[in-house]
Amino acid sequence: MKILKSWLNDWVDIEKISGDDLSEALENLGFEIESRKDISANYKNIVIGKVLEVYPHPNADKVRVTKVDTGNNIFEIVCGAWNFDVGATVPVALPKSEIKDGFLIDKRDIRGVESNGMICSATELDLWEDNSGILLLNDQVKPGTDFSSIYPQNDIVWEIGVTPNRGDCMSHLGVARELSHYFKKPLQENLHSLNPTIENIMTLSSGSIKECNTYAGVEIEDVSISDSSFTVRYRLSQVDTRIINNVVDYTNYVLYDIGQPLHAFDRDKLFGKISVRYAENNETLLTLDDQQRELSVNDLVITADNKPIALAGVMGGLESEVTTATTNLLIESAYFDKVSIMNTSRKLNLISDASIRFERGIDHNLQLLGLNRFITIFKKDQDINYSTPAIDTKQKLISNKVKFNRNEIYKLLGIKLDDNFISEMLAYLGIEFEISSTEISFQSPSWRYDLDRPVDLIEEFAKHYGFNNFESTLPIGVNKNDVGQYWHLKKELTTRLNGMGLYEIQSLSFVSEDSNSIFTPEKKSVEINNPIDQTNKFLRTNLYTSLIKTYQSNFEQNKRSHMFFEINNVFDAAEHPKYSSIPNQVYTLAGLVPSIGTHEDMREVPVTKDIFFVKQLLANCFGDLEFTKIQKPGFHQNISYIIQKNNSILGHFGQLSSQLEQSYELQNSLYLFNIDLSILTTKDLVNINYKPLSQYPFVKFDLSFMATSDLKASDMISEVENLLIDNENLITIFDDFKNEKIRNLGIRIQTRSYSKTYSEKEVSDILNQVVEVLENKFKVKLNKGS
């Protein structure tokens, strides 16, 4: 979510706090800063002007000539935009001023008329993208005013990560509430008194279902659909919200301001009682995106005279939308059940800013404030007539009181907090509380759904105390650095498989049911209650499908045929051996080996692999294994084996069936293996013995000997290795020349000590010793040129 410093300042006084201090505060309060943008004016010397005259250009049809009052002077300016007329207040770039990216504006002759500057659009001033025409401003701004003075041009936008349990922080009010305690500054009220001038003519009801606890609305008459105020357009553009018109912009503004979603209806298109109910099976609604939606009994709808007019909390209906002809409005502000909204938005793939906030949980006491904010903003823009907000609430939602012993704070945090800190923090955050010498009781406010246990409040204490303020201490107890057998096994296998040329992948657990049935039809898939994607709404029962898709993607994109493996859980609907409340899950290793692999050096020929390569790969990891041929779904009927060790079944490996190779349009045969890691530990892996590398430099000898034709060069290598057995050695034959009379055998010796760097004398002694041993044992003679 994006937040704007000047917008936060409406709720808490942070004007004089630097951007760096605010960034640090946000991070300390648990908001991950994904990006930060410091905004400054990307123009120079732009002033406010008032259009006095507009008349045709004598030599051009697509532009007009204007006379603009800029305070001290009246200038004639040629303009190609047509969205303004006499009386418009506009930004003007006079000669010698600059617009976006330092573009210099000067006098220009345009088809015989001298233009003394330029009337600017929002895009030309780098404010937001708007190609519809000139930026129109409030008529109350005086001509000659410096344009940069009408808004805070030095501003900051942060994009922050908000955790799913903090729906209250999906607004500027929510973030400001956190900052208020951090900087010890009070939170502003921003609730304005209203003076209604009309009576309500619509009847509103929250319906008979518990999924809509509160339904509120206000009626507004004699509105004019036009641009929203400059401040609203500027702020919405900075948080990446599309600017549409004043009514839609003001509903979006309230959403980002306090977190309350609103929806605007054209009141003249509504008839009968406005209420909320569940849809009927096969009932349809034409939504704002001009799509006919087929509804189910699980979808909440807003109705007028029992006819659906909107998907509650998700999207409005096209038949009641606000258009440029709209003059009378009904503004909706409601509290809907978050699970119901989430299910509908996911099912129909209609995820909006409003639905996201309903899903995370909005303040159930915020509905009237949302309407108050909307009217307050609208009144600054137009003279409007509005009614008293109407509200229908089923019950007052009150959170439970939670009580805990103060010692719990010390147990979890290792510190003792004084009463002043606790009282001040809870008061700033709006949490009702009672403190005694031994206990703390609290009641979470209407906007905090995440505070229902003592540990939740203790986490708040830690966050506002400051994690940087905790003293550094060492862990207490045995095995304090042990990450557990799970990670030891994963790390060891990953290291070994990487060393054998396999690439590790990590894929999502969500798949289609077809993907599970290809290789594991015997397992019952676990269906997800709230899938992100309806096409992948099951937990995987195997890792084969993700491996094949990864191989396929890499091959199609860069023509590389690599080996892959994945270590992860697979799931099925069987009973879990330990926990009855969760599906069964098995810790699994799976791998893929193509029959033709790309060499790391692209200049080399491809590497050919077969089922025996896979067999050896498994043996290198798990030692002596037994293999029994079986037939398994998805695999070649003659090349498919069970893997056993010590009479226990570890898994399976084999070649992908020809039918699936054609189905996946593969160019190479694929070998797959699967190992159940839940029954293994690191002790079951092959023990690898090795010598470490020496940290000292090599000495190198190239020796050439006259040798007999029947001498085995490998015997000479073995003899030198035995002679230098305490060293790290690299010994090779670099030359073996033969003819009818002689044979010259060249041996290259590279050796280094594990304990020291050899001196010149020691190098000479090693050389002489090697030559002496080889000459005496193999009857060879060193060539004098060596």
Side-chain angles (χ1 to χ4, degrees):
M1 188 189 78
K2 289 192 174 183
I3 53 175
L4 190 63
K5 181 183 178 183
S6 60
W7 202 336
L8 289 170
N9 199 61
D10 286 355
W11 291 101
V12 61
D13 184 12
I14 56 171
E15 186 174 1
K16 295 181 180 179
I17 300 174
S18 71
D20 290 343
D21 288 342
L22 284 167
S23 295
E24 182 180 358
L26 290 169
E27 289 183 328
N28 289 340
L29 290 168
F31 302 110
E32 181 182 356
I33 297 178
E34 297 171 1
S35 66
R36 169 183 165 177
K37 178 183 177 183
D38 290 73
I39 303 169
S40 58
N42 193 9
Y43 55 81
K44 289 182 181 179
N45 304 324
I46 305 299
V47 299
I48 304 298
K50 193 172 189 67
V51 179
L52 302 180
E53 294 182 46
V54 180
Y55 45 89
H57 191 291
N59 302 313
D61 296 333
K62 294 184 179 181
V63 296
R64 298 183 294 174
V65 183
T66 66
K67 285 189 176 180
V68 182
D69 179 8
T70 59
N72 296 326
N73 293 289
I74 296 175
F75 292 95
E76 193 171 55
I77 300 175
V78 177
C79 183
W82 292 74
N83 68 318
F84 69 97
D85 216 320
V86 174
T89 302
V90 294
V92 178
L94 295 174
K96 306 304 180 186
S97 61
E98 294 179 6
I99 59 171
K100 179 180 177 179
D101 296 335
F103 188 86
L104 182 66
I105 300 299
D106 214 334
K107 292 181 181 180
R108 287 182 60 196
D109 182 277
I110 300 178
R111 302 290 293 272
V113 176
E114 186 177 60
S115 181
N116 295 280
M118 178 180 182
I119 303 176
C120 303
S121 68
T123 302
E124 289 158 345
L125 298 177
D126 201 21
L127 297 172
W128 60 83
E129 286 299 318
D130 182 7
N131 299 314
S132 62
I134 295 304
L135 174 60
L136 302 178
L137 303 171
N138 193 306
D139 293 342
Q140 296 176 355
V141 184
K142 294 181 179 180
T145 303
D146 182 357
F147 176 71
S148 65
S149 68
I150 70 171
Y151 75 103
Q153 74 277 9
N154 293 312
D155 215 337
I156 304 174
V157 179
W158 292 274
E159 186 169 5
I160 59 172
V162 180
T163 54
N165 66 323
R166 292 304 304 273
D168 61 300
C169 290
M170 294 290 288
S171 68
H172 285 79
L173 168 60
V175 176
R177 189 183 286 119
E178 297 289 303
L179 292 173
S180 70
H181 173 256
Y182 190 93
F183 291 110
K184 304 297 184 290
K185 291 180 177 290
L187 197 67
Q188 304 299 317
E189 279 291 329
N190 283 339
L191 180 65
H192 299 271
S193 60
L194 302 179
N195 297 303
T197 54
I198 61 172
E199 296 293 327
N200 286 307
I201 64 172
M202 306 295 296
T203 301
L204 306 183
S205 170
S206 60
S208 59
I209 55 175
K210 62 181 176 58
E211 283 74 16
C212 177
N213 189 71
T214 302
Y215 194 84
V218 65
E219 298 175 40
I220 306 175
E221 296 181 351
D222 305 323
V223 302
S224 175
I225 306 301
S226 60
D227 288 336
S228 54
S229 68
F230 174 79
T231 299
V232 168
R233 283 180 286 166
Y234 166 74
R235 288 184 172 182
L236 289 178
S237 68
Q238 297 306 320
V239 296
D240 288 347
T241 299
R242 189 164 63 95
I243 296 164
I244 300 174
N245 60 47
N246 51 356
V247 174
V248 178
D249 291 351
Y250 295 155
T251 59
N252 286 332
Y253 186 90
V254 173
L255 178 77
Y256 284 96
D257 187 38
I258 64 174
Q260 173 63 50
L262 303 178
H263 183 69
F265 297 99
D266 186 327
R267 193 188 68 177
D268 296 334
K269 298 176 182 177
L270 305 178
F271 301 95
K273 182 180 179 181
I274 308 300
S275 187
V276 187
R277 64 169 171 82
Y278 274 117
E280 298 173 0
N281 260 334
N282 300 321
E283 197 167 24
T284 60
L285 173 67
L286 185 64
T287 48
L288 286 171
D289 56 357
D290 202 22
Q291 297 292 314
Q292 193 76 31
R293 306 285 179 178
E294 187 172 322
L295 309 178
S296 71
V297 293
N298 296 318
D299 299 324
L300 276 181
V301 292
I302 312 300
T303 63
D305 199 22
N306 205 38
K307 179 184 176 182
I309 57 173
L311 274 171
V314 179
M315 183 174 283
L318 189 64
E319 293 181 2
S320 59
E321 78 166 326
V322 174
T323 67
T324 54
T326 298
T327 56
N328 300 317
L329 301 170
L330 171 65
I331 306 299
E332 167 199 282
S333 180
Y335 176 73
F336 299 119
D337 174 62
K338 58 183 179 181
V339 176
S340 176
I341 301 301
M342 178 180 65
N343 289 337
T344 298
S345 66
R346 294 292 189 269
K347 183 191 75 172
L348 298 176
N349 198 25
L350 285 174
I351 300 173
S352 62
D353 287 334
S355 68
I356 289 171
R357 281 158 180 79
F358 277 121
E359 289 172 19
R360 296 196 177 190
I362 66 169
D363 184 349
H364 55 74
N365 288 336
L366 202 61
Q367 289 67 56
L368 289 180
L369 177 60
L371 296 175
N372 182 286
R373 292 291 289 162
F374 182 87
I375 294 170
T376 301
I377 298 164
F378 213 147
K379 284 197 308 179
K380 294 178 181 179
D381 183 29
Q382 289 184 25
D383 291 329
I384 56 173
N385 295 310
Y386 55 90
S387 67
T388 300
I391 185 168
D392 181 36
T393 301
K394 291 185 175 67
Q395 61 178 324
K396 188 175 182 180
L397 301 175
I398 301 175
S399 57
N400 296 324
K401 281 192 175 182
V402 181
K403 184 183 293 186
F404 62 95
N405 193 295
R406 294 183 67 158
N407 288 334
E408 294 298 316
I409 301 175
Y410 184 78
K411 288 180 182 178
L412 289 174
L413 304 184
I415 58 173
K416 293 183 178 180
L417 302 174
D418 60 49
D419 288 356
N420 289 336
F421 172 83
I422 294 173
S423 301
E424 184 183 69
M425 188 204 87
L426 296 178
Y428 268 105
L429 298 181
I431 301 173
E432 295 183 10
F433 64 94
E434 293 179 4
I435 299 178
S436 69
S437 59
T438 58
E439 288 184 333
I440 297 175
S441 65
F442 71 94
Q443 192 169 10
S444 61
S446 56
W447 57 85
R448 291 297 298 269
Y449 295 93
D450 59 316
L451 299 179
D452 55 6
R453 304 170 300 170
V455 67
D456 298 325
L457 190 66
I458 294 172
E459 182 184 2
E460 289 296 301
F461 289 148
K463 185 172 66 177
H464 287 272
Y465 178 80
F467 293 111
N468 293 334
N469 295 325
F470 283 84
E471 292 184 7
S472 297
T473 57
L474 293 173
I476 299 173
V478 296
N479 297 326
K480 49 183 176 283
N481 295 319
D482 189 1
V483 296
Q485 182 59 40
Y486 176 100
W487 290 107
H488 285 306
L489 182 59
K490 184 180 189 304
K491 181 181 178 182
E492 185 64 31
L493 279 171
T494 299
T495 301
R496 294 190 184 198
L497 292 170
N498 285 155
M500 287 185 274
L502 281 77
Y503 290 86
E504 183 179 12
I505 70 167
Q506 289 291 315
S507 60
L508 291 176
S509 300
F510 311 130
V511 298
S512 66
E513 193 166 23
D514 290 341
S515 297
N516 286 338
S517 62
I518 292 173
F519 295 103
T520 48
E522 73 280 4
K523 293 184 178 182
K524 184 179 179 181
S525 300
V526 179
E527 186 172 357
I528 303 163
N529 291 330
N530 55 335
I532 297 174
D533 179 1
Q534 289 295 322
T535 60
N536 295 311
K537 60 180 182 179
F538 294 91
L539 293 176
R540 62 187 171 194
T541 56
N542 64 81
L543 299 174
Y544 291 141
T545 306
S546 59
L547 285 164
I548 294 171
K549 288 182 177 179
T550 301
Y551 172 82
Q552 204 173 17
S553 175
N554 277 268
F555 190 81
E556 288 174 355
Q557 292 184 32
N558 53 36
K559 298 300 180 185
R560 286 184 172 265
S561 178
H562 287 312
M563 300 182 290
F564 297 98
F565 74 95
E566 181 170 5
I567 300 176
N568 232 316
N569 286 320
V570 296
F571 308 83
D572 62 76
E575 184 177 347
H576 193 282
K578 290 185 179 180
Y579 309 105
S580 59
S581 59
I582 63 173
N584 186 42
Q585 46 191 291
V586 180
Y587 191 41
T588 302
L589 160 68
L592 177 151
V593 177
S595 59
I596 299 177
T598 305
H599 197 284
E600 289 301 319
D601 187 343
M602 294 290 287
R603 297 169 296 182
E604 298 290 337
V605 296
V607 182
T608 302
K609 301 180 180 69
D610 56 16
I611 193 68
F612 298 102
F613 175 89
V614 183
K615 176 185 175 182
Q616 188 59 48
L617 184 151
L618 294 170
N620 290 343
C621 290
F622 303 104
D624 293 333
L625 299 172
E626 299 172 3
F627 305 99
T628 306
K629 184 179 288 188
I630 63 161
Q631 290 189 2
K632 186 171 175 62
F635 284 82
H636 194 292
Q637 61 180 355
N638 295 321
I639 311 176
S640 178
Y641 304 89
I642 285 177
I643 305 168
Q644 291 178 287
K645 183 174 183 178
N646 300 327
N647 296 322
S648 295
I649 296 177
L650 298 188
H652 166 268
F653 84 112
Q655 181 179 333
L656 189 67
S657 70
S658 301
Q659 182 181 358
L660 285 178
E661 285 180 9
Q662 293 175 6
S663 174
Y664 282 112
E665 298 181 353
L666 299 171
Q667 297 185 22
N668 302 317
S669 296
L670 297 183
Y671 302 100
L672 302 167
F673 62 87
N674 184 89
I675 302 293
D676 181 355
L677 298 182
S678 63
I679 58 176
L680 298 175
T681 68
T682 51
K683 294 179 181 178
D684 295 304
L685 302 181
V686 172
N687 188 31
I688 299 175
N689 296 315
Y690 65 95
K691 278 187 175 182
L693 297 176
S694 170
Q695 60 182 330
Y696 298 98
F698 278 107
V699 294
K700 177 181 174 183
F701 312 116
D702 281 352
L703 304 177
S704 178
F705 292 94
M706 293 177 62
T708 59
S709 59
D710 60 345
L711 176 65
K712 292 183 178 180
S714 60
D715 291 342
M716 290 182 67
I717 292 175
S718 298
E719 186 64 29
V720 176
E721 286 178 340
N722 289 332
L723 183 63
L724 304 174
I725 194 169
D726 293 329
N727 285 7
E728 179 188 338
N729 302 308
L730 183 59
I731 304 170
T732 59
I733 298 298
F734 72 88
D735 181 40
D736 191 358
F737 173 78
K738 297 178 182 178
N739 61 22
E740 296 177 353
K741 296 182 178 180
I742 62 170
R743 177 187 183 189
N744 285 327
L745 188 65
I747 183 169
R748 177 169 293 157
I749 302 169
Q750 297 180 76
T751 185
R752 59 181 175 180
S753 169
Y754 282 103
S755 59
K756 63 181 179 179
T757 299
Y758 285 126
S759 65
E760 288 187 14
K761 183 178 183 305
E762 289 170 324
V763 171
S764 179
D765 290 343
I766 292 172
L767 173 60
N768 293 332
Q769 186 180 13
V770 168
V771 170
E772 182 180 352
V773 168
L774 293 179
E775 286 184 334
N776 291 336
K777 184 167 185 176
F778 298 105
K779 307 305 179 183
V780 295
K781 185 175 182 181
L782 182 69
N783 288 316
K784 297 301 182 180
S786 297

